[in-house]
Amino acid sequence: MNEVLKGGLIGCGFFAVNQMHGWQEVDRVEIVAICDRDPARLTEIGDRFDVAARYADAAEMLAAEKLDFVDIATTVPSHRALVELAARQGLHVICQKPLAETMQDARAMNAAVEEAGRVFMVHENFRWQSGLRAAIDAVRTGKIGSPFFCRASFRSGYDVYSGQPYLATDERFIIQDLGIHVLDVTRAIMGEVRTLSASIQRVNPKIRGEDVATILLTHDSGATSVVDCSYATRRQPETFPETLLEIDGETGTLRLDAGYRLTIQSAGGKDVIDVAPRLDPWAEKPWHNIQESVVTIQRHFADCLRQGRIPETSGADNLRTLALVEAAYLSAAEARTITPEEL
């Protein structure tokens, strides 16, 4: 498949600008149509990225345009209907996280795309960020031996509500919006999860959901992980949007510290590696970490379409991460340890 892949973007909100920039950097991919119910956002994205085909209705766009794939960049309540619509049109799908509001919806979405014989991938996973990718690759290639402990931490006081005000009003917040990424990174490093227990707090009285979460995982290997997330942590310097890691292995240790400093220590000595993301012309600090990963994610998706491969962060793989999110909320609500198989 050497021809240009033609895509349609559904959702022209806060993050869509990054996705449009990202697609422009992927060879032989073009977003030829966009869709949003808000005329102002549709005009802004269409004019900025010179996309003439603009629609207020997704079904109308998919019926009118000859597309290879659809990029769904809407909020979670609309995901199932849009994914199933794209599947009925025989399109490949890349969809924003969180994938679905329930495990039932997520399974139905996967089934719809699988039945259509198309590729389904989940977008914007932190495991594609430069520092986290370097850490994942180091563990997978045996740099510290078999890992037996991991701490994955995202703690910040950054005002995420100004750009995404719905985060302050959603019943679920930090686990669903942020913890899902950190749990996914932990899965990528430590393997599948056997049991999970979680504690959550709401520190900021102006929001509806939880803004602090601490999650203990035991993995199939017997290893242990701690995932801790906070948007109520005041710190200087501010480390947003970095995820920090400490991993102990049988033959060494790995640390991903603030400032994108990766340290790998073993009997052979210590390596300190700069794993900072590049700053693209369209990107801005501190978001450049996430913005660079968008290009990596989308390039991986395009490569998988051309090569007939299943994406690393496929819809099916994301079911396992989504199960951890649901398990965390259930554990916090019932004050007990959960096995993902319960869900």
Side-chain angles (χ1 to χ4, degrees):
M1 188 187 292
N2 294 315
E3 68 275 10
V4 172
L5 294 170
K6 295 183 178 181
L9 175 75
I10 303 175
C12 297
F14 172 78
F15 204 77
V17 172
N18 296 319
Q19 284 166 251
M20 290 296 291
H21 277 299
W23 287 122
Q24 288 185 329
E25 293 198 24
V26 181
D27 291 340
R28 292 176 292 132
V29 173
E30 182 182 1
I31 299 298
V32 298
I34 57 175
C35 176
D36 198 289
R37 290 180 296 182
D38 185 327
R41 296 197 306 196
L42 195 62
T43 298
E44 179 184 357
I45 294 295
D47 290 353
R48 184 169 181 175
F49 295 96
D50 194 26
V51 181
R54 306 173 189 182
Y55 297 85
D57 180 80
E60 182 183 348
M61 181 181 81
L62 299 192
E65 301 290 332
K66 186 175 182 180
L67 304 174
D68 297 297
F69 72 91
V70 63
D71 182 354
I72 298 172
T74 58
T75 54
V76 63
S78 62
H79 285 178
R80 178 173 177 177
L82 292 172
V83 168
E84 291 179 337
L85 173 65
R88 288 195 297 271
Q89 293 292 329
L91 301 177
H92 303 293
V93 181
I94 182 167
C95 182
Q96 268 290 350
K97 64 82 207 169
L99 181 59
E101 293 185 299
T102 67
M103 292 298 296
Q104 180 182 0
D105 283 349
R107 292 185 182 109
M109 293 154 67
N110 272 278
V113 182
E114 182 178 357
E115 185 177 343
R118 294 296 182 259
V119 172
F120 188 23
M121 179 172 166
V122 180
H123 197 290
E124 205 210 330
N125 284 274
F126 280 18
R127 71 164 76 183
W128 298 103
Q129 294 176 10
S130 60
L132 295 171
R133 196 76 218 172
I136 291 168
D137 291 343
V139 173
R140 288 180 176 177
T141 55
K143 295 292 178 62
I144 61 170
S146 297
F148 61 85
F149 174 82
C150 172
R151 182 185 184 95
S153 179
F154 189 111
R155 310 190 70 80
S156 172
Y158 191 88
D159 180 12
V160 293
Y161 313 107
S162 59
Q164 297 167 284
Y166 63 88
L167 295 177
T169 59
D170 284 353
E171 184 177 350
R172 292 179 168 188
F173 173 34
I174 202 165
I175 298 177
Q176 178 170 278
D177 185 70
L178 172 69
I180 189 170
H181 292 301
V182 188
L183 288 165
D184 182 70
V185 168
T186 307
R187 272 191 60 234
I189 293 171
M190 304 296 287
E192 300 306 335
V193 174
R194 182 188 302 163
T195 63
L196 177 154
S197 58
S199 173
I200 63 174
Q201 302 173 65
R202 179 171 62 88
V203 177
N204 184 346
K206 297 180 180 179
I207 68 172
R208 185 180 180 192
E210 80 289 351
D211 52 1
V212 175
T214 307
I215 306 170
L216 176 66
L217 313 170
T218 58
H219 298 269
D220 289 348
S221 64
T224 302
S225 295
V226 177
V227 169
D228 65 276
C229 303
S230 170
Y231 269 129
T233 300
R234 293 179 175 86
R235 65 196 309 175
Q236 289 296 331
E238 173 61 68
T239 56
F240 179 89
E242 297 181 55
T243 303
L244 310 182
L245 297 173
E246 300 176 45
I247 306 170
D248 294 339
E250 292 177 345
T251 62
T253 61
L254 179 151
R255 296 194 315 275
L256 179 59
D257 295 316
Y260 305 103
R261 175 186 170 97
L262 179 66
T263 302
I264 301 173
Q265 191 163 358
S266 64
K270 181 171 73 172
D271 291 326
V272 180
I273 308 164
D274 180 5
V275 290
R278 69 177 183 270
L279 181 61
D280 288 314
W282 53 271
E284 60 178 336
K285 294 182 177 181
W287 294 95
H288 65 305
N289 179 23
I290 295 170
Q291 290 165 322
E292 182 202 42
S293 75
V294 169
V295 181
T296 305
I297 290 163
Q298 294 174 170
R299 186 172 289 124
H300 177 73
F301 178 69
D303 288 345
C304 288
L305 295 190
R306 291 195 168 94
Q307 298 165 13
R309 293 189 288 122
I310 297 173
E312 181 174 328
T313 50
S314 66
D317 180 83
N318 193 256
L319 285 175
R320 298 187 180 95
T321 296
L322 195 60
L324 300 184
V325 172
E326 295 299 323
Y329 281 114
L330 182 60
S331 173
E334 299 186 357
R336 67 181 179 92
T337 298
I338 306 295
T339 59
E341 287 75 15
E342 296 181 44
L343 303 169

